[in-house]
Amino acid sequence: MLLRLQKLLIRKDSLPRRVLIPESIDSKLERIAERPFETSGFLFYEENEKLGRIDNLVRGMYITGVGNKSSVKAEMDCVRVTYKFLETHHEYRIIDWHTHPRGLPHASPIDMQTISEHMEKNPARISLIIGRGESGMIATGYGTGQISAEKVLDPADRQYHEVAIRRGLNSAAQEIGMQMRPKPMPRGFMLTAYTLFNEPINYFRNLI
């Protein structure tokens, strides 16, 4: 997936940041972007500062909502679970993402309002919009400072972090009295889920 990162604000005190997306997660994002309806979620990453830059290595992902062809709204229960998880897993931070299946990943006025609100609360927050370009899948990123992104090989400890994130989210759900279970799916979604992943997808809280 080709990633094109845009800068909303340049901060002279910020170090350059790289978003490193492992191949397995990049591939899943591409398949999700091929769905005929908008999908939203979080990427969990670890931040490491070295050699005058900050590397943000993505460790996992979580689908928070499935909408229609032109809009999506994250399920608030999924958002609550995510923030509960972050309270006890300080090694991870989040990137917001959602897809634009009908074309290029340009932010709508509503997208820009949401992104600006996130950045007011946390200037380091990054948001990705994933869509389609002439050469295939393309993502536009929004954040502060000098930001770039690239696909990297899966790290050796990939499975460890995937399991840690999955278990942590389930524990967070239990703490706030939720059960991680399937919810009714939009019309046509089950067929798409089986086609893309060869297994039924829990769209309401999908741990990939």
Side-chain angles (χ1 to χ4, degrees), residues 125-176:
R125 190 76 165 257
I126 298 173
S127 298
L128 293 179
I129 301 177
I130 305 167
R132 299 170 182 265
E134 294 181 358
S135 58
M137 296 299 127
I138 185 170
T140 301
Y142 299 85
T144 61
Q146 300 177 17
I147 307 171
S148 63
E150 61 185 79
K151 180 168 64 174
V152 297
L153 295 175
D154 286 339
D157 56 355
R158 164 194 166 193
Q159 186 174 6
Y160 167 81
H161 286 277
E162 288 181 349
V163 171
I165 291 171
R166 182 180 301 112
R167 289 178 176 174
L169 288 169
N170 275 286
S171 295
Q174 293 174 5
E175 286 184 40
I176 63 177

Side-chain angles (χ1 to χ4, degrees), residues 1 6 18 31 33 35 46 70-71 127 132 142 160 188 193:
M1 175 171 56
Q6 295 184 347
R18 294 194 309 169
R31 285 183 285 166
R35 298 174 180 176
E46 287 186 308
S70 59
S71 66
S127 298
R132 299 170 182 265
Y142 299 85
Y160 167 81

Side-chain angles (χ1 to χ4, degrees), residues 36-105:
F37 35 77
E38 291 197 10
T39 308
S40 66
F42 292 118
L43 296 177
F44 297 93
Y45 70 90
E46 287 186 308
E47 183 173 275
N48 296 295
E49 182 178 337
K50 58 182 180 180
L51 300 176
R53 69 169 187 263
I54 298 174
D55 284 348
N56 300 329
L57 177 60
V58 175
R59 291 299 197 172
M61 61 183 291
Y62 181 35
I63 290 179
T64 58
V66 172
N68 53 41
K69 293 181 179 180
S70 59
S71 66
V72 63
K73 183 177 181 180
E75 296 284 349
M76 290 310 301
D77 283 342
C78 296
V79 175
R80 289 175 57 212
V81 167
T82 299
Y83 282 100
K84 186 66 176 178
F85 166 81
L86 293 174
E87 288 179 3
T88 54
H89 294 76
H90 304 292
E91 66 272 31
Y92 299 115
R93 301 186 183 186
I94 55 174
I95 294 174
D96 304 276
W97 63 267
H98 73 275
T99 62
H100 280 186
R102 301 179 67 181
L104 293 172

